[in-house]
Amino acid sequence: MEEKKFDLNSIIGFVLIFGILIWIMYQNQPSDKEIAAEKAKKELVATQEAQAKADKTKTAVLPVAAATPGDTVQLAQLQKTLGGFAYSATLPSAKESFTTIENEKMILKIANKGGYIVEATLKEFERFEKGSKQLVELIKDNNANLNIQLQTTDNRTLNSKDLFFEPTLTKIGADQVLTMRLKAGANEFLEYKYILKPNDYLVGFDIRSQGLNKVLNAAKPLDLQWDLKTYRNEKSVSIEKRFAEIQYEYDDEKYNYVSPNGVGKEETPEKVSYVAFKQHFFTTILSTDKPFEKSKLQSDDLVKDEKIDTAFIKQFRATLPLAFSNGEIDYKMSWYFGPADYKTLKSYDKNFEKIIPLGWGIFGWINRWVFIPLFGFLSSYIAYGIAIIIFTIIIKLAMSPITYKSFLSQAKMKVLRPEITELGEKFKKDPMKKQQETMKLYNKAGVNPMAGCIPALIQLPFMYASFQFFPSAFELRQKSFLWANDLSSFDAIVKLPFHIPLYGDHISLFPILAAIAIFFYMKMTSGDQQMAAPQQEGMPDMAKMMKIMIYVSPLMMLIFFNSYGAGLSLYNFISNLITIGIMFVIKNYIVDTDKIHAQIQENKLKEPKKPSKFQQRLQDVMEQQEAAKAQNKKK
C-alpha cells in the first residue's frame, strides 16, 4: 500500500479559500445605519401583518375620540334622520365591514351594518350529493335578515338593520365572544352578543340595552323581525318542499307548526320559547330563556314550478316582541345552525328534537322508543344499508306472531266458507236472518270474524311510523348502498329526457323492486282472503276488489315512491320479501287446515260460548231490525 504523504499545495489552497471567505463576509457586513434600517423594516412588516390580521377579524376595540367642531356639524346633520343613534354613524366602525368567527362546525360572518349574521356555513356537509364541493350555506347573499324596529322617544321609527354596530371580539377561555353595539353615546347602546363555543352548533345570542331609557320609547315592546329564504340543499325539490316548515314551541312545552304547504299561512302563537325555520335536513332555530309573549309567524312557498324554481324552497318570517324591563331590553337567547338530526338536537335539552316529524300519538312513540334506538344501535356497528336490512328483519320477526294470528283467522274462515255459503243459499230471500244464523255459526264454532282484522290493524302503526322515520333520518343523508349513492334521496338509475306528472324525470330502482315484492305478496294472499271472506248481501264484491288491488298497490308504490328516499323503498322491499317468506312457512309448515276443521267441528259439539259484547250488540241490532220489519209487514 502506498504511504500517504503530506500535501503542502492542498493545505495552501484551503487556507487561501478560507481567507477569501472571511474577507467577503467582512466586506458585506452591514453598517450601523443599515442594521437600524433593517430593524425598522422588520418592525414595519410585523406591524402591517398585525394590522392586516386585525382588519380581517375586526378584533380591535375601536376607541371613541372627543368630537371635533367638524364632528359636531356632522352629528347635527345625522341627528335629523337618526335621532339619538346618530352617534353610531360617526364612529370608525360605521362602514360596510364584517367580522368572521368560526369553530370546527361552522363559519359565521357578521356585518357591522345591522349587526346580524350575513353568512352561516356548515363545514362538515355538502349540498345535493357527496363530493359536490358545495358546502351547505344556511345564510348567504342576503337571503336572511334580522331587524329590530326601534321606536324612539322623539317619534321616530328606525330599523337596526340599517344602522352601524361597533364590533369587539374577545376570547373567554376557549369561547369566542363577539359584541356588536349600536351606540347612542359612549355608554348608551343596544348590544348583540354572539358566543361561539368550540365544536358546537349552538351560538349564544344575547340582546340587551344600556342607558337607552331616554332614547327608546318603552311604552310597548320592540318588534324583532327575522326572515329567511331557504336555499335548496337536497336533490329532490318536492321532498325538500314537503319537509320545509316553521315549527315552534309555545306555552310551556306545547308544540306546533305553520302549515308546510300554506301560501301566506300565518300563525300567532303566544309565549313562544323557540322558533325553528326547518328545511329537510338542516334547520335554523332561535330560542329564548324568556318566552316571547306574542308572535307572528308566516310561511310562503317559493316553488311554483319544480322544473324552474330550484334555487329557493320557502320564505319564512317571524315577528317576535322584545318586552322592556325597567326601561331596558334584556334577553338571553341562542341560535342553532346545523343538521336536523334527532340525536344532535336532543343533546341540547331544549326540546329541539320535537321539530323532527316523527308522527303524532302512537306513531311518534314507536319512532322515539323503538325505531330510533334500534336503528341507532345497528348503524353504529354496520353500514347503513345493511343496518336497514337487519332492522327490517328484526321488526318483521317481532311482528310475526301477529301475522300468524291473522293467517290463522283466515284459515278458520276458509274452513267455514262452505257452511256460510249454504246459509246464504238457505236464507237468500231473508238477508237479516242469514246474518243472524251466520253469527250463530261463528259463535258455535268459536271463530271471531274480526280476529283477522285486529292483527292487521296492530301492524298499521308500525307501517306508518316507518313512513315518518326514514324520510327524517338524517344519518342516511349521502350514505351509499349498492347502486344508491344517497339513501336519503331517490336512487335514480335512468334520467328521463322529459317529466312525467306525479312520477318525475327519473326512474328509481328500489321502488320497482318494492312494487314487484308487493305484487307477489298480494298475489299469494289474495286467494286466501277471498276464500275467507264470502260475499255478503249488499256489500261490495271483495274478490273483484282484491283483483284490482293486486295491480293498483304496486302501481302506487312505483308512482309515489319514485322521488322518496331509497332507504324507505329498501325497507319496504325487504319487509315484503320477509312477509312472503313468513307467510310461506306459516301456510305450508305451521297451519294445518285439517286440524283446524276438526277443532271447529269439536267446538260445535260443545256448549256455545257466550257471545262477545260486540257480537251481542250486533245480534241485538239485527233482532230489532227484524222486529221492525215484521211490524211494517203487519201494517
Side-chain angles (χ1 to χ4, degrees):
M1 179 180 293
E2 184 179 355
E3 185 180 356
K4 291 183 180 180
K5 296 181 180 179
F6 183 77
D7 190 349
L8 182 62
N9 292 332
S10 297
I11 296 297
I12 294 171
F14 281 121
V15 170
L16 289 174
I17 291 171
F18 180 77
I20 292 170
L21 289 173
I22 294 295
W23 181 80
I24 292 172
M25 291 174 63
Y26 178 79
Q27 289 296 321
N28 288 291
Q29 183 177 0
S31 64
D32 292 343
K33 289 184 179 180
E34 290 175 329
I35 292 173
E38 183 64 21
K39 184 178 179 180
K41 182 178 178 181
K42 289 181 178 180
E43 289 176 351
L44 178 60
V45 170
T47 302
Q48 289 174 341
E49 288 177 349
Q51 184 62 42
K53 186 177 179 180
D55 289 341
K56 183 179 178 180
T57 59
K58 297 293 181 293
T59 60
V61 179
L62 300 171
V64 179
T68 63
D71 295 331
T72 304
V73 173
Q74 182 188 16
L75 188 61
Q77 290 292 330
L78 292 169
Q79 283 176 339
K80 293 179 181 179
T81 55
L82 301 180
F85 290 103
Y87 182 87
S88 64
T90 65
L91 300 176
S93 56
K95 58 184 177 180
E96 296 282 356
S97 189
F98 307 92
T99 303
T100 300
I101 57 176
E102 66 178 291
N103 61 11
E104 296 82 355
K105 301 292 186 184
M106 70 179 102
I107 303 171
L108 301 178
K109 186 176 179 182
I110 299 93
N112 282 15
K113 188 175 183 179
Y116 60 90
I117 297 170
V118 293
E119 288 185 14
T121 305
L122 301 181
K123 300 167 73 172
E124 299 176 319
F125 307 105
E126 293 177 296
R127 301 178 69 198
F128 306 129
E129 60 186 1
K130 194 172 184 179
S132 70
K133 297 182 180 179
Q134 299 181 55
L135 292 178
V136 171
E137 296 175 288
L138 299 179
I139 302 176
K140 70 169 183 175
D141 298 337
N142 300 315
N143 73 317
N145 277 301
L146 186 75
N147 178 57
I148 296 180
Q149 279 197 337
L150 304 170
Q151 305 294 333
T152 66
T153 53
D154 56 358
N155 296 321
R156 299 174 189 273
T157 299
L158 302 176
N159 292 305
S160 65
K161 67 178 182 179
D162 299 326
L163 305 176
F164 288 98
F165 287 65
E166 183 183 67
T168 303
L169 180 61
T170 58
K171 291 196 73 174
I172 300 177
D175 300 347
Q176 300 172 66
V177 180
L178 174 62
T179 301
M180 307 291 293
R181 289 180 175 177
L182 173 60
K183 291 190 169 184
N187 295 304
E188 301 167 357
F189 51 81
L190 174 68
E191 178 184 271
Y192 296 167
K193 182 184 287 185
Y194 299 90
I195 305 169
L196 182 62
K197 297 180 179 180
N199 203 36
D200 202 345
Y201 295 111
L202 200 67
V203 183
F205 180 59
D206 299 342
I207 297 180
R208 74 181 185 97
S209 64
Q210 178 176 302
L212 296 183
N213 53 338
K214 294 182 180 180
V215 179
L216 296 178
N217 182 1
K220 61 179 183 178
L222 302 179
D223 282 339
L224 175 66
Q225 299 168 334
W226 172 37
D227 61 84
L228 175 69
K229 189 160 64 171
T230 64
Y231 280 101
R232 173 186 163 214
N233 290 309
E234 313 304 327
K235 287 197 294 184
S236 175
V237 177
S238 59
I239 298 301
E240 188 163 6
K241 174 185 172 182
R242 178 185 173 186
F243 286 95
E245 59 189 2
I246 299 178
Q247 303 190 19
Y248 57 92
E249 185 185 62
Y250 71 104
D251 196 16
D252 195 20
E253 299 188 4
K254 292 180 182 178
Y255 173 76
N256 209 335
Y257 62 92
V258 178
S259 176
N261 297 317
V263 178
K265 181 69 176 179
E266 186 177 294
E267 299 283 348
T268 56
E270 298 180 357
K271 298 187 180 301
V272 172
S273 52
Y274 72 70
V275 176
F277 288 171
K278 182 183 175 297
Q279 298 167 241
H280 187 183
F281 284 126
F282 298 95
T283 186
T284 305
I285 305 174
L286 177 61
S287 65
T288 175
D289 292 345
K290 183 168 60 177
F292 304 115
E293 284 300 319
K294 190 168 184 178
S295 59
K296 184 169 68 174
L297 309 175
Q298 185 176 332
S299 173
D300 291 283
D301 289 339
L302 299 179
V303 179
K304 309 303 179 186
D305 186 338
E306 293 182 9
K307 299 188 291 294
I308 301 173
D309 304 324
T310 58
F312 299 99
I313 301 296
K314 292 285 181 73
Q315 174 71 65
F316 296 139
R317 296 182 180 88
T319 302
L320 309 165
L322 302 178
F324 284 91
S325 178
N326 297 322
E328 300 289 359
I329 295 292
D330 190 8
Y331 276 78
K332 302 289 185 183
M333 297 188 284
S334 61
W335 290 105
Y336 175 87
F337 299 100
D341 174 51
Y342 183 86
K343 292 179 181 178
T344 302
L345 294 170
K346 189 174 177 61
S347 67
Y348 289 103
D349 197 26
K350 291 177 175 286
N351 296 324
F352 288 168
E353 72 277 5
K354 289 183 178 180
I355 73 170
I356 306 299
L358 299 177
W360 54 271
I362 189 172
F363 312 117
W365 187 92
I366 291 171
N367 276 322
R368 289 184 183 88
W369 302 107
V370 180
F371 283 9
I372 290 176
L374 177 59
F375 187 76
F377 173 78
L378 294 173
S379 60
S380 62
Y381 293 99
I382 53 181
Y384 285 93
I386 303 298
I388 291 176
I389 294 173
I390 296 177
F391 170 83
T392 310
I393 292 172
I394 293 172
I395 295 297
K396 296 306 293 184
L397 288 178
M399 302 296 289
S400 59
I402 298 175
T403 306
Y404 168 74
K405 288 285 186 181
S406 179
F407 187 82
L408 182 62
S409 177
Q410 289 180 18
K412 289 180 179 180
M413 295 290 290
K414 184 178 178 181
V415 169
L416 283 178
R417 182 179 174 88
E419 296 181 54
I420 295 172
T421 304
E422 184 180 338
L423 289 174
E425 291 295 325
K426 184 177 180 180
F427 300 102
K428 183 183 294 185
K429 296 182 180 181
D430 193 347
M432 189 65 67
K433 186 66 176 176
K434 186 185 76 170
Q435 289 288 353
Q436 290 175 341
E437 292 301 319
T438 302
M439 293 300 295
K440 288 179 181 179
L441 176 63
Y442 287 152
N443 187 40
K444 194 174 182 180
V447 175
N448 184 356
M450 298 297 295
C453 300
I454 295 173
L457 291 175
I458 293 174
Q459 295 184 68
L460 279 176
F462 285 85
M463 182 182 70
Y464 181 79
S466 70
F467 290 127
Q468 296 293 113
F469 170 73
F470 284 101
S472 301
F474 180 85
E475 53 265 53
L476 295 181
R477 186 178 188 268
Q478 297 180 359
K479 299 300 189 300
S480 61
F481 180 65
L482 298 178
W483 58 85
N485 58 14
D486 187 348
L487 285 169
S488 73
S489 188
F490 52 81
D491 57 314
I493 55 170
V494 175
K495 180 72 174 177
L496 300 175
F498 48 84
H499 186 275
I500 302 175
L502 300 177
Y503 187 73
D505 59 357
H506 62 274
I507 298 175
S508 298
L509 183 53
F510 274 129
I512 295 175
L513 296 176
I516 293 171
I518 287 176
F519 175 79
F520 282 105
Y521 166 69
M522 297 195 72
K523 195 80 172 173
M524 176 182 180
T525 59
S526 61
D528 293 328
Q529 290 172 350
Q530 292 168 27
M531 290 294 290
Q535 175 68 21
Q536 300 293 326
E537 189 74 25
M539 297 295 289
D541 190 339
M542 295 303 295
K544 291 182 179 179
M545 290 184 65
M546 288 304 301
K547 287 180 180 178
I548 295 172
M549 289 304 296
I550 288 174
Y551 300 98
V552 171
S553 295
L555 184 62
M556 291 175 64
M557 170 63 74
L558 282 175
I559 293 174
F560 294 108
F561 282 73
N562 190 60
S563 293
Y564 263 77
L568 179 59
S569 298
L570 173 61
Y571 171 82
N572 280 280
F573 171 54
I574 300 298
S575 178
N576 283 291
L577 281 184
I578 296 170
T579 303
I580 290 171
I582 291 174
M583 293 294 290
F584 179 82
V585 172
I586 291 174
K587 185 176 182 179
N588 293 281
Y589 299 100
I590 297 178
V591 173
D592 189 332
T593 54
D594 292 334
K595 287 183 178 181
I596 291 173
H597 184 269
Q599 183 64 50
I600 288 176
Q601 299 308 316
E602 184 180 337
N603 290 342
K604 289 180 180 179
L605 300 175
K606 297 179 182 178
E607 187 73 21
K609 292 182 179 180
K610 184 179 179 180
S612 65
K613 291 182 179 180
F614 173 77
Q615 289 175 325
Q616 186 62 53
R617 287 179 183 176
L618 186 60
Q619 187 172 340
D620 291 342
V621 170
M622 289 179 180
E623 290 175 356
Q624 290 172 9
Q625 290 178 346
E626 188 70 22
K629 185 177 179 181
Q631 188 69 27
N632 290 333
K633 284 183 179 180
K634 290 180 181 180
K635 293 180 180 180

